[in-house]
Amino acid sequence: MKLLREIFDFYIDSSIHVSIAVLSLQAVIMIKYCSIINNELLLFTFFSTLFAYNFIKYAQYLIDYNNRISNKLKAIIFISIISLLLLLFLSVKLSLYELIITLLTGIITFLYAIPFFVSSNSNLRGIKGLKIYVVGLVWTLIIVLLPLEYLEYSSLYFILANFIQIYLYVLIAIIPFEIRDIEIDDKRLSTIPQKIGVKRTKIIGLTMILAFALIELLKISLFNINSMSFDFILVVLLMVFMIFNANEKQKKYYSSFWVEGLPIIWVIILFF
């Protein structure tokens, strides 16, 4: 049992789970709106997400030479290096447009994790109130704009609707994390729950879910998309449930596994 728990913790801590989640959300976009499912692009998204998340989480720790590197961290470093090599290999097959989007998200990720100047402690992550919006932007650029060339709907309004909808989804998914970390997050981050409290944060989350659903209705009305599907309704209901049940003393894997894993459930539903 202890071994299984350690394997599961490694699965979460090494960013494999969140990487599958980002891949899954991009796959949802491809299945619903693209002419093809580009497996190479999905793999590129997986490996780039895994490397980026581990870079953000562990780079600063490794910079401090006083920190002892555990066997678990060595394994995470190893799979991160493998991911870097594989994403570089897959990047050769990307179009110029896809490379530009990748470069843009890479720059934002780097500035999110690393201080602007060597002598400074300031990065995008540390700017008051900005954290959730930067994460949402990076996820949305990768999920919506990276597979844009394969989109069957060329309307700028459709692309914009998709972009806003997925951006809202990511913000909603981050809320349970911010509620969980309300006491341990640096007060200078000024997260939404720190500023307005848990109850009002949940109201904002539910309002964003309503906007998320209304955008789907708008897409159905304007772009002749099939009526609201079972998978979408189920995902919306699960989002409401996850916001309602988020609290400061939530169970260990509530956000890091269940909330973050919702796109995996979504893409599985689509395949069945």
Side-chain angles (χ1 to χ4, degrees):
M1 194 67 177
K2 182 182 177 182
L3 177 60
L4 288 175
R5 177 61 64 88
E6 289 177 352
I7 292 172
F8 188 74
D9 284 340
F10 180 81
Y11 169 74
I12 299 293
D13 295 339
S14 63
S15 306
I16 295 173
H17 186 63
V18 67
S19 301
I20 295 174
V22 176
L23 176 154
S24 297
L25 200 51
Q26 189 181 73
V28 168
I29 294 294
M30 288 186 182
I31 293 167
K32 283 178 167 285
Y33 307 123
C34 292
S35 56
I36 63 167
I37 297 174
N38 189 324
N39 292 320
E40 290 180 347
L41 190 59
L42 289 171
L43 285 173
F44 176 82
T45 295
F46 172 80
F47 290 121
S48 58
T49 302
L50 194 149
F51 176 77
Y53 262 80
N54 287 341
F55 177 77
I56 290 168
K57 288 196 288 188
Y58 302 112
Q60 193 62 48
Y61 182 91
L62 293 171
I63 290 171
D64 185 354
Y65 293 102
N66 294 323
N67 287 319
R68 176 179 168 272
I69 301 178
S70 64
N71 289 333
K72 179 180 177 179
L73 185 53
K74 288 178 182 177
I76 291 173
I77 293 169
F78 175 76
I79 66 167
S80 300
I81 292 171
I82 296 299
S83 294
L84 176 62
L85 294 175
L86 288 171
L87 75 88
L88 289 174
F89 170 76
L90 290 166
S91 67
V92 176
K93 302 183 180 183
L94 297 181
S95 66
L96 177 60
Y97 165 79
E98 290 165 343
L99 287 172
I100 291 170
I101 296 297
T102 301
L103 179 63
L104 176 60
T105 55
I107 291 171
I108 296 171
T109 300
F110 184 82
L111 293 177
Y112 181 82
I114 300 298
F116 300 133
F117 304 101
V118 175
S119 59
S120 168
N121 290 320
S122 298
N123 54 26
L124 290 179
R125 191 179 192 179
I127 296 176
K128 186 176 181 180
L130 193 62
K131 175 184 171 183
I132 185 174
Y133 306 107
V134 174
V135 175
L137 176 62
V138 171
W139 270 59
T140 309
L141 286 170
I142 290 293
I143 291 163
V144 178
L145 294 192
L146 200 56
L148 192 64
E149 291 178 310
Y150 310 104
L151 203 65
E152 290 184 329
Y153 301 87
S154 58
S155 167
L156 178 61
Y157 295 109
F158 181 82
I159 296 166
L160 183 60
N162 257 2
F163 191 92
I164 295 171
Q165 191 177 37
I166 295 301
Y167 187 74
L168 283 172
Y169 174 90
V170 180
L171 296 186
I172 294 161
I174 293 173
I175 283 176
F177 287 88
E178 300 227 312
I179 291 173
R180 180 195 67 184
D181 297 337
I182 187 171
E183 297 298 334
I184 62 174
D185 272 339
D186 191 325
K187 295 296 185 278
R188 290 173 295 181
L189 290 176
S190 191
T191 63
I192 297 173
Q194 287 175 342
K195 288 190 291 185
I196 64 173
V198 172
K199 185 176 180 180
R200 290 180 179 177
T201 299
K202 288 186 177 184
I203 292 172
I204 288 176
L206 294 171
T207 303
M208 287 194 290
I209 293 172
L210 177 61
F212 178 80
L214 289 175
I215 290 172
E216 189 71 10
L217 290 173
L218 185 67
K219 284 159 59 177
I220 292 168
S221 172
L222 295 180
F223 304 107
N224 297 320
I225 296 172
N226 294 332
S227 59
M228 194 172 286
S229 56
F230 167 76
D231 62 277
F232 185 85
I233 295 170
L234 182 58
V235 166
V236 168
L237 292 175
L238 287 172
M239 289 165 70
V240 170
F241 176 83
M242 289 175 176
I243 291 295
F244 260 121
N245 287 278
N247 58 66
E248 305 96 308
K249 296 181 180 179
Q250 59 191 253
K251 291 186 177 181
K252 182 178 180 181
Y253 301 113
Y254 180 81
S255 292
S256 60
F257 181 74
W258 293 110
V259 174
E260 205 149 58
L262 185 53
I264 302 172
I265 297 172
W266 195 351
V267 81
I268 290 171
I269 295 168
L270 284 174
F271 275 113
F272 291 97

